[in-house]
Amino acid sequence: MQGIWSQMSVSYKDLCLFPDVQLHVGFKMPKFDLYDEHGDPVVHLRVRSLSGAALEWYTRQDVSKWYTWDDMAQVFARHFQYNIEIVLDHMSLTKMEKNPNESFREYGLRWRQQAATVNLPMEEKEMVEYFLQAQEPTYLGNLITAMGRPFNDVVKMGEIVEDGLKSSKIMSYSALKVTTQAIQNDTRSLLGQKEHDDVDMVISGSGHGSTGPPHQYTQPQPQPQTYP
């Protein structure tokens, strides 16, 4: 640690990015929407606001190489260009699932916000179709009748399904599958026992309703031959 601290300076002039900026008495720093490395970097350059990984990246740069604003802006925009190159498409929306810790309304709002960023704008009817494709079987089975209705109506119907699942008025497809599988296993077990009993009955000779002892097969004895 001593070696590290010996190479680091904690003086104001070394820590401050703009040590020569003079602020008037009573100046209040405006509030910014901080950039955390998500979203279009050019938009955030307009307000010069950074946070999280973006702020960490910025503080590690050698600002002495930036003689003008354009020098800094070009480096910054190139570094975070991936945020606008990797964009959602229609199929990506179908993979946006509801998180366990969010309500269906929160999920619907999050999905709708992401749908608005898709390059090719969608009509509401198309949006509803992709939203339904993103649903897990329980919600899809109960919301399929909402096809063609406004997006807000679909979200409201989803909330009703959500309440039904919580109150056990609606059984989830996963729970229904487990219950059905258990019933099938019990049925197979009973049928298997019956078949086993039937085999025992045949072996014991009582397969046709006979109550006597099993039939005994007797080897025929040769008859003596007679001559005229």
Side-chain angles (χ1 to χ4, degrees), residues 27-35 44 46-51:
F27 173 81
K28 293 183 178 180
M29 182 67 67
K31 293 182 179 180
F32 297 106
D33 293 327
L34 302 182
Y35 184 71
H44 289 273
R46 297 180 186 277
V47 292
R48 189 63 175 279
S49 52
L50 306 175
S51 70

Short mmCIF file of all heavy atoms in Angstrom, two decimals, residues 27-35 44 46-51:
data_model
loop_
_atom_site.label_atom_id
_atom_site.label_comp_id
_atom_site.label_asym_id
_atom_site.label_seq_id
_atom_site.Cartn_x
_atom_site.Cartn_y
_atom_site.Cartn_z
N PHE A 27 -22.65 30.23 -6.18
CA PHE A 27 -22.98 29.38 -7.34
C PHE A 27 -23.48 28.02 -6.86
O PHE A 27 -22.90 27.40 -5.97
CB PHE A 27 -21.75 29.21 -8.22
CG PHE A 27 -21.95 28.22 -9.34
CD1 PHE A 27 -22.59 28.61 -10.51
CD2 PHE A 27 -21.52 26.91 -9.22
CE1 PHE A 27 -22.78 27.71 -11.54
CE2 PHE A 27 -21.70 26.00 -10.24
CZ PHE A 27 -22.33 26.40 -11.42
N LYS A 28 -24.58 27.57 -7.43
CA LYS A 28 -25.14 26.25 -7.09
C LYS A 28 -25.02 25.34 -8.30
O LYS A 28 -25.43 25.69 -9.40
CB LYS A 28 -26.60 26.38 -6.68
CG LYS A 28 -26.79 27.13 -5.36
CD LYS A 28 -28.27 27.15 -4.97
CE LYS A 28 -28.45 27.86 -3.63
NZ LYS A 28 -29.87 27.90 -3.22
N MET A 29 -24.47 24.17 -8.06
CA MET A 29 -24.30 23.21 -9.14
C MET A 29 -25.66 22.69 -9.59
O MET A 29 -26.46 22.25 -8.77
CB MET A 29 -23.43 22.03 -8.66
CG MET A 29 -23.16 20.99 -9.74
SD MET A 29 -22.13 21.64 -11.09
CE MET A 29 -20.58 21.88 -10.22
N PRO A 30 -25.97 22.77 -10.87
CA PRO A 30 -27.26 22.26 -11.35
C PRO A 30 -27.32 20.74 -11.24
O PRO A 30 -26.29 20.06 -11.20
CB PRO A 30 -27.30 22.72 -12.81
CG PRO A 30 -25.86 22.87 -13.19
CD PRO A 30 -25.15 23.33 -11.95
N LYS A 31 -28.53 20.22 -11.21
CA LYS A 31 -28.73 18.78 -11.15
C LYS A 31 -28.73 18.21 -12.57
O LYS A 31 -29.40 18.74 -13.45
CB LYS A 31 -30.04 18.44 -10.44
CG LYS A 31 -30.04 18.81 -8.96
CD LYS A 31 -31.35 18.40 -8.31
CE LYS A 31 -31.34 18.75 -6.82
NZ LYS A 31 -32.61 18.35 -6.15
N PHE A 32 -27.98 17.14 -12.75
CA PHE A 32 -27.88 16.51 -14.06
C PHE A 32 -28.43 15.09 -13.99
O PHE A 32 -28.38 14.44 -12.95
CB PHE A 32 -26.42 16.44 -14.54
CG PHE A 32 -25.78 17.78 -14.74
CD1 PHE A 32 -24.85 18.25 -13.83
CD2 PHE A 32 -26.09 18.55 -15.84
CE1 PHE A 32 -24.24 19.48 -14.01
CE2 PHE A 32 -25.50 19.78 -16.03
CZ PHE A 32 -24.56 20.24 -15.11
N ASP A 33 -28.92 14.63 -15.14
CA ASP A 33 -29.21 13.21 -15.30
C ASP A 33 -27.89 12.54 -15.65
O ASP A 33 -27.37 12.72 -16.76
CB ASP A 33 -30.24 12.97 -16.41
CG ASP A 33 -31.60 13.52 -16.04
OD1 ASP A 33 -31.93 13.49 -14.84
OD2 ASP A 33 -32.34 13.96 -16.95
N LEU A 34 -27.35 11.80 -14.70
CA LEU A 34 -26.01 11.26 -14.87
C LEU A 34 -25.97 10.10 -15.85
O LEU A 34 -26.88 9.28 -15.91
CB LEU A 34 -25.46 10.82 -13.51
CG LEU A 34 -25.39 11.91 -12.44
CD1 LEU A 34 -24.79 11.36 -11.16
CD2 LEU A 34 -24.57 13.09 -12.94
N TYR A 35 -24.91 10.05 -16.63
CA TYR A 35 -24.72 9.00 -17.62
C TYR A 35 -23.97 7.84 -16.99
O TYR A 35 -22.87 8.01 -16.46
CB TYR A 35 -23.94 9.54 -18.82
CG TYR A 35 -23.77 8.55 -19.94
CD1 TYR A 35 -24.85 8.18 -20.73
CD2 TYR A 35 -22.54 7.98 -20.22
CE1 TYR A 35 -24.71 7.28 -21.77
CE2 TYR A 35 -22.38 7.07 -21.26
CZ TYR A 35 -23.47 6.73 -22.02
OH TYR A 35 -23.33 5.82 -23.05
N HIS A 44 -25.83 12.69 -23.89
CA HIS A 44 -25.32 13.07 -22.57
C HIS A 44 -24.16 14.07 -22.66
O HIS A 44 -23.88 14.79 -21.70
CB HIS A 44 -24.91 11.83 -21.78
CG HIS A 44 -26.07 11.02 -21.33
ND1 HIS A 44 -26.74 11.25 -20.15
CD2 HIS A 44 -26.72 9.99 -21.92
CE1 HIS A 44 -27.73 10.39 -20.02
NE2 HIS A 44 -27.74 9.62 -21.09
N ARG A 46 -24.29 16.63 -24.26
CA ARG A 46 -24.90 17.96 -24.28
C ARG A 46 -24.98 18.55 -22.87
O ARG A 46 -24.99 19.76 -22.69
CB ARG A 46 -26.31 17.88 -24.89
CG ARG A 46 -26.31 17.42 -26.33
CD ARG A 46 -27.72 17.35 -26.89
NE ARG A 46 -27.74 16.79 -28.23
CZ ARG A 46 -27.51 17.49 -29.34
NH1 ARG A 46 -27.24 18.77 -29.26
NH2 ARG A 46 -27.56 16.91 -30.52
N VAL A 47 -25.07 17.67 -21.88
CA VAL A 47 -25.17 18.17 -20.50
C VAL A 47 -23.94 17.82 -19.68
O VAL A 47 -23.82 18.21 -18.53
CB VAL A 47 -26.43 17.59 -19.82
CG1 VAL A 47 -27.68 18.14 -20.45
CG2 VAL A 47 -26.44 16.06 -19.89
N ARG A 48 -23.03 17.07 -20.27
CA ARG A 48 -21.77 16.73 -19.61
C ARG A 48 -22.02 16.13 -18.23
O ARG A 48 -21.59 16.66 -17.20
CB ARG A 48 -20.89 17.98 -19.52
CG ARG A 48 -19.47 17.75 -19.06
CD ARG A 48 -18.70 16.86 -20.04
NE ARG A 48 -17.32 16.74 -19.66
CZ ARG A 48 -16.39 17.64 -19.92
NH1 ARG A 48 -16.70 18.73 -20.55
NH2 ARG A 48 -15.15 17.44 -19.55
N SER A 49 -22.74 15.01 -18.20
CA SER A 49 -23.05 14.37 -16.92
C SER A 49 -22.67 12.91 -16.97
O SER A 49 -23.07 12.18 -17.86
CB SER A 49 -24.56 14.50 -16.62
OG SER A 49 -25.31 14.03 -17.73
N LEU A 50 -21.88 12.48 -15.99
CA LEU A 50 -21.39 11.11 -15.97
C LEU A 50 -21.59 10.50 -14.59
O LEU A 50 -21.59 11.19 -13.58
CB LEU A 50 -19.89 11.08 -16.31
CG LEU A 50 -19.45 11.75 -17.61
CD1 LEU A 50 -17.94 11.72 -17.72
CD2 LEU A 50 -20.08 11.06 -18.81
N SER A 51 -21.74 9.16 -14.58
CA SER A 51 -21.79 8.45 -13.32
C SER A 51 -21.40 7.01 -13.57
O SER A 51 -21.26 6.57 -14.71
CB SER A 51 -23.21 8.49 -12.71
OG SER A 51 -24.11 7.71 -13.47
#
